[in-house]
Amino acid sequence: MQKVVVDADKRSFRINLKELNHYKDLFYILAYRDIRVRYAQTFLGFLWAFLQPAATLLIFILVFGLAIKIDTGAIPYPLFAICGISMWSYFSFVLNQSGNSIIGAQEMIKKIYFPRLVVPLSKAVVGFVDFGVALILLIVLMVVYQVAPSPNIWAAPLFILLNIIAALGVGIWLSALSIRYRDFQHVIPFLVQFGLYATPVAYPARLVPDKYLWLYNLNPMVGIIEGFRWSIFGGNSPNEYFWISFATIILLFITSLIYFKKVEDTMADIV
Amino acid sequence: MSDIAISVEGLGKKYKIGRRKSGNLRDSLSSIFKRNSHNHPITQSPNQQINDFWALKDINFEVKQGEAVGIIGRNGAGKSTLLKILSRITKPTTGRFEINGRVSSLLEVGTGFHMELTGRENIYLNGTILGMKRKEIKAKFDEIVAFSGVEEFIDTPVKHYSSGMKVRLAFSVAAHLEPEILIIDEVLAVGDAEFQKKCLGKMEDVTGQGRTVLFVSHNLGAVNQLCSKAIFLSNGKLTSLGPTEKIINDYISDNMFLGGIREWKNSSKPKNNDFIIEKVTLSQRGKFSSELIPYEDIEVDIYFQNLIKDQNTSVGIQLFTNLETAVLSSVNWSSSTLNIDPFTNGKFSEGRFHSKCKIPEGLLNEGNYYINVVLLKNHNKVSLIEKKVISFSIVNTGYMREGFHQSWLGVVRPKLFWHTNKISNESN
């Protein structure tokens, strides 16, 4: 028999994994709901998932590829760009969605108990749809340009995993912060916009001067996108700066869980 | 396994009032600085104490496995806060509680319904939110749909449903939860009478199956029907706890005026364009009281003002038990009085009036009652009705009982004619 003890004097910062596992059906169905509803009542429907990265790619090709003529070495610019776009749009989508998720779920939070963490976590799954479409675009372009994947391709899933963790880390932080301070709702679009320029999506990281690389790599997406490109196209393997990104990701994720847990107890009172 | 389902010790919940619930960053930052720079007790804000509001304080009780317990109390007494804490939506500020068993709470039906999704999808969504597993929902799916009565529209987006259909679907999902402990808040307030009956039946099944139920409702009849025990909360404190009927009686007597006199301040007197009700009293043998004995007439005195000249007025009362069963209604029409009321069917001039009505001795059974006062104009049009004006109880004095101590069935307990005679000596 299930036993629950709640004591006002004892606060635990442990994440109850057993409980999260118990609610995995909720996790899936929330993701299912978001995916189902995302393109409901739109004329183009699912096509939007394709149009968004395609349009971004087109603009990047025009601006950075043809006008500015950024040097991407052996990799054709469209391939270089879509590789970054796929990872960046997953990151920004999940960050945005999970950052706003607790505010969006306040009706539920006020009425039912469930581990609140399920809400921002489920957004990671929602992002897979668009990410999948962007990856297909990448594969199609690789076929078109006849570029074979590098032998490092085994590492691609690891960078995707890191991307999920990074997106969730920032997203969970923002979801817990914005329920307390609505200011952070306004920070989210700014982060996404600013982040695009501070991340090697449209340009390679080597354009950044060496002395600023440590600072640059504090942006977790720098390590992830550079690493993902390396796993697909080869070239210079991730250097010591990658570990700065890596450490930032892990730190963000762990602290986000701790902060979320702290806010979780009072969520129903402050929404 | 312990036979205690819920045990609550010293539970309290404090809310800060007057402060923004979701703060903004500036407030938080400046309060951090304040905290660091001012530690002097005098400079500390003195209204910190005033801003604290205890929605619940020092609540202690235990619920055994399989018990159905009703929670009653006025609005703002802390009922919902208690349920919120027990269903873990919010944390208590003080105290602790322990729950043995799987809990489902229905604080409002239809939580998480999404308008763009179909009925089918919403059953899965809502069921999962309420804590069911996908497998369980699948197994009960047909039952849920049948109970809701929306079979035809199950693959239609819920946004096209009528509000009644939505509520029925939502309740059906909730009704098919199989928790060991069920926490319910006011769900009976939904749907039409037919559906309510269905819900009440379903809840009786639940309690009948030995589930533990915590039930908050304003419907005292439903609480009485479903719960063997009850808790009476008032101003965040547990006032009494015990058998439902006793607690309901406590609630009724707490809720209304006690001493057999009901008066209003000038501004709050019940009134409309025709009448003002000024005072209502209950008395026996000339003494005001709300604790009445069964073998004396009960005098109900109604003092009111007539505001319209030559208004054809009648005065009436409605008598209800505390469980909202109508006992009788009476009006001073010549056809319904024992005597002739001088003002029966009369044209009333403007001014103050006093009507006396006697409820005969030996009519009402022991228990709790309340009275509504009705003023009619144009002979039979209800103009002003003031509900629950005054409550009273008929106390057990041993009258008619001859040593029988159990509760006497019935709302009324008049003496009736009986005659028995012997027909024959043979026993077959």
Side-chain angles (χ1 to χ4, degrees):
Chain A
M1 180 170 284
Q2 212 174 307
K3 179 173 174 161
V4 171
V5 180
V6 174
D7 195 321
D9 302 324
K10 289 180 194 144
R11 304 255 150 163
S12 146
F13 288 105
R14 271 189 46 228
I15 306 283
N16 192 338
L17 287 176
K18 211 175 120 197
E19 192 183 37
L20 270 183
N21 185 48
H22 182 82
Y23 277 89
K24 65 174 184 289
D25 283 351
L26 178 62
F27 170 80
Y28 289 126
I29 200 143
L30 286 179
Y32 171 83
R33 177 194 68 183
D34 289 348
I35 293 168
R36 262 288 269 115
V37 166
R38 181 119 191 266
Y39 299 112
Q41 275 206 353
T42 57
F43 179 63
L44 292 177
F46 190 66
L47 207 54
W48 279 113
F50 168 79
L51 281 177
Q52 280 160 351
T56 316
L57 177 63
L58 193 67
I59 292 166
F60 278 18
I61 291 173
L62 289 175
V63 176
F64 298 99
L66 299 176
I68 305 180
K69 292 199 175 63
I70 281 179
D71 175 22
T72 54
I75 313 163
Y77 186 77
L79 272 183
F80 175 90
I82 189 66
C83 192
I85 290 170
S86 64
M87 290 297 259
W88 175 257
S89 23
Y90 176 82
F91 176 81
S92 60
F93 177 84
V94 172
L95 177 157
N96 193 356
Q97 293 280 308
S98 59
N100 285 308
S101 63
I102 294 293
I103 291 180
Q106 46 179 295
E107 283 311 305
M108 261 166 71
I109 284 171
K110 276 191 280 189
K111 285 170 196 155
I112 301 282
Y113 172 79
F114 55 89
R116 310 317 192 189
L117 199 55
V118 171
V119 174
L121 286 182
S122 72
K123 304 296 180 186
V125 179
V126 183
F128 285 152
V129 177
D130 292 27
F131 184 58
V133 172
L135 279 188
I136 289 169
L137 210 58
L138 170 65
I139 292 166
V140 168
L141 284 174
M142 284 172 78
V143 172
V144 170
Y145 285 92
Q146 303 206 323
V147 173
S150 82
N152 311 327
I153 192 74
W154 58 269
L158 295 183
F159 287 108
I160 293 173
L161 183 70
L162 267 188
N163 195 1
I164 297 171
I165 295 173
L168 284 176
V170 183
I172 291 168
W173 256 113
L174 288 171
S175 70
L177 279 170
S178 60
I179 197 86
R180 274 192 140 162
Y181 313 109
R182 298 293 152 102
D183 310 67
F184 282 92
Q185 270 184 301
H186 307 287
V187 170
I188 293 172
F190 174 74
L191 260 184
V192 170
Q193 211 177 8
F194 174 76
L196 178 62
Y197 298 105
T199 307
V201 179
Y203 59 89
R206 63 167 184 276
L207 296 185
V208 176
D210 277 356
K211 58 176 174 173
Y212 295 123
L213 268 180
W214 64 271
L215 185 67
Y216 188 57
N217 274 275
L218 280 176
N219 171 1
M221 287 311 286
V222 173
I224 290 172
I225 289 184
E226 286 288 290
F228 188 60
R229 275 205 189 103
W230 164 77
S231 71
I232 289 180
F233 306 120
N236 300 332
S237 59
N239 49 23
E240 68 275 16
Y241 289 113
F242 166 77
W243 297 106
I244 298 180
S245 284
F246 182 79
T248 318
I249 294 163
I250 301 303
L251 190 72
L252 267 173
F253 188 66
I254 291 172
T255 51
S256 77
L257 292 180
I258 294 170
Y259 183 68
F260 192 90
K261 186 80 191 160
K262 193 179 158 222
V263 177
E264 188 175 27
D265 288 348
T266 52
M267 262 175 202
D269 299 331
I270 59 179
V271 288
Chain B
M1 194 184 91
S2 120
D3 69 329
I4 301 293
I6 304 172
S7 89
V8 172
E9 289 162 39
L11 212 60
K13 176 77 181 176
K14 184 175 72 176
Y15 285 107
K16 292 203 165 42
I17 49 174
R19 253 192 68 184
R20 249 169 296 185
K21 285 204 284 183
S22 346
N24 66 34
L25 211 48
R26 200 158 40 151
D27 287 356
S28 293
L29 290 178
S30 60
S31 75
I32 290 171
F33 291 126
K34 262 190 209 135
R35 212 189 304 157
N36 290 341
S37 59
H38 286 272
N39 273 329
H40 198 268
I42 295 167
T43 53
Q44 217 131 51
S45 156
N47 46 16
Q48 210 139 34
Q49 293 291 316
I50 302 163
N51 285 341
D52 289 346
F53 166 71
W54 287 87
L56 279 181
K57 206 158 187 185
D58 200 26
I59 304 289
N60 296 285
F61 64 90
E62 269 182 0
V63 178
K64 293 205 176 68
Q65 300 280 2
E67 248 178 356
V69 176
I71 300 175
I72 56 182
R74 265 169 291 193
N75 287 333
K79 306 185 296 282
S80 299
T81 308
L82 179 60
L83 290 201
K84 268 189 174 171
I85 291 175
L86 292 180
S87 45
R88 298 166 68 199
I89 293 168
T90 183
K91 283 260 162 135
T93 314
T94 62
R96 71 191 292 274
F97 67 91
E98 205 174 304
I99 292 185
N100 292 303
R102 180 177 151 181
V103 184
S104 280
S105 60
L106 302 180
L107 297 200
E108 208 158 313
V109 293
T111 307
F113 259 41
H114 199 290
M115 293 302 126
E116 297 286 349
L117 298 181
T118 65
R120 178 187 304 275
E121 290 165 325
N122 268 310
I123 289 178
Y124 279 101
L125 177 61
N126 187 232
T128 323
I129 290 172
L130 292 174
M132 276 196 264
K133 296 267 194 194
R134 206 185 133 73
K135 273 187 302 196
E136 294 173 68
I137 303 172
K138 209 167 178 176
K140 285 188 200 145
F141 187 82
D142 294 336
E143 222 180 301
I144 294 174
V145 176
F147 188 83
S148 71
V150 298
E151 291 97 332
E152 284 170 75
F153 306 100
I154 199 65
D155 287 311
T156 308
V158 167
K159 63 180 169 183
H160 299 306
Y161 281 30
S162 72
S163 52
M165 283 161 71
K166 269 179 241 165
V167 164
R168 292 213 303 271
L169 185 66
F171 189 85
S172 304
V173 179
H176 288 81
L177 291 166
E178 284 189 349
E180 285 140 345
I181 298 168
L182 186 62
I183 296 181
I184 310 167
D185 191 0
E186 297 287 1
V187 273
L188 292 173
V190 302
D192 50 26
E194 174 87 0
F195 190 70
Q196 282 191 17
K197 234 170 101 187
K198 221 167 155 184
C199 299
L200 213 61
K202 185 80 196 174
M203 286 174 49
E204 269 182 330
D205 290 354
V206 172
T207 45
Q209 286 158 6
R211 286 321 152 64
T212 311
V213 178
L214 269 190
F215 179 44
V216 161
S217 175
H218 284 114
N219 182 344
L220 296 177
V223 172
N224 194 42
Q225 196 178 335
L226 291 169
C227 307
S228 55
K229 273 173 77 177
I231 290 170
F232 175 25
L233 289 182
S234 139
N235 294 324
K237 296 201 182 74
L238 194 154
T239 308
S240 56
L241 179 162
T244 308
E245 268 185 47
K246 183 190 164 292
I247 302 301
I248 287 179
N249 289 347
D250 288 356
Y251 173 69
I252 288 289
S253 29
D254 181 79
N255 217 5
M256 276 182 276
F257 195 80
L258 264 177
I261 301 174
R262 178 72 189 272
E263 279 176 302
W264 291 267
K265 278 182 199 139
N266 256 330
S267 54
S268 60
K269 281 178 183 161
K271 64 176 156 200
N272 62 5
N273 292 333
D274 303 316
F275 305 106
I276 301 174
I277 299 175
E278 297 192 308
K279 187 164 93 169
V280 178
T281 65
L282 288 174
S283 56
Q284 272 181 327
R285 290 176 160 188
K287 276 174 73 181
F288 296 125
S289 176
S290 60
E291 303 237 310
L292 306 173
I293 49 179
Y295 48 86
E296 293 280 351
D297 287 354
I298 301 163
E299 299 191 357
V300 184
D301 291 280
I302 302 159
Y303 297 84
F304 64 98
Q305 276 184 49
N306 181 42
L307 303 175
I308 309 244
K309 201 181 152 204
D310 288 343
Q311 185 159 245
N312 189 322
T313 301
S314 302
V315 191
I317 59 164
Q318 298 172 334
L319 178 64
F320 284 81
T321 69
N322 57 357
L323 304 176
E324 320 266 335
T325 306
V327 181
L328 60 84
S329 50
S330 180
V331 66
N332 71 333
W333 296 335
S334 56
S335 58
S336 58
T337 51
L338 286 169
N339 56 330
I340 303 291
D341 184 341
F343 273 88
T344 195
N345 300 346
K347 290 224 185 310
F348 280 50
S349 51
E350 288 163 81
R352 311 168 90 106
F353 291 86
H354 165 208
S355 289
K356 182 186 284 293
C357 166
K358 279 189 192 179
I359 300 169
E361 60 169 65
L363 174 67
L364 298 175
N365 195 359
E366 292 142 12
N368 292 282
Y369 302 85
Y370 67 83
I371 285 173
N372 299 343
V373 168
V374 190
L375 288 162
L376 304 96
K377 64 175 186 175
N378 303 332
H379 191 53
N380 57 10
K381 302 271 181 301
V382 172
S383 167
L384 178 60
I385 178 161
E386 182 64 13
K387 293 187 174 163
K388 300 192 181 181
V389 167
I390 198 160
S391 71
F392 64 92
S393 52
I394 303 288
V395 294
N396 181 352
T397 58
Y399 172 68
M400 281 171 67
R401 281 182 165 272
E402 301 187 10
F404 173 75
H405 292 300
Q406 276 132 304
S407 84
W408 192 298
L409 190 68
V411 173
V412 292
R413 200 171 81 185
K415 289 185 175 173
L416 302 181
F417 173 85
W418 282 88
H419 182 81
T420 311
N421 62 353
K422 187 167 181 183
I423 305 167
S424 143
N425 273 326
E426 292 157 37
S427 57
N428 187 13

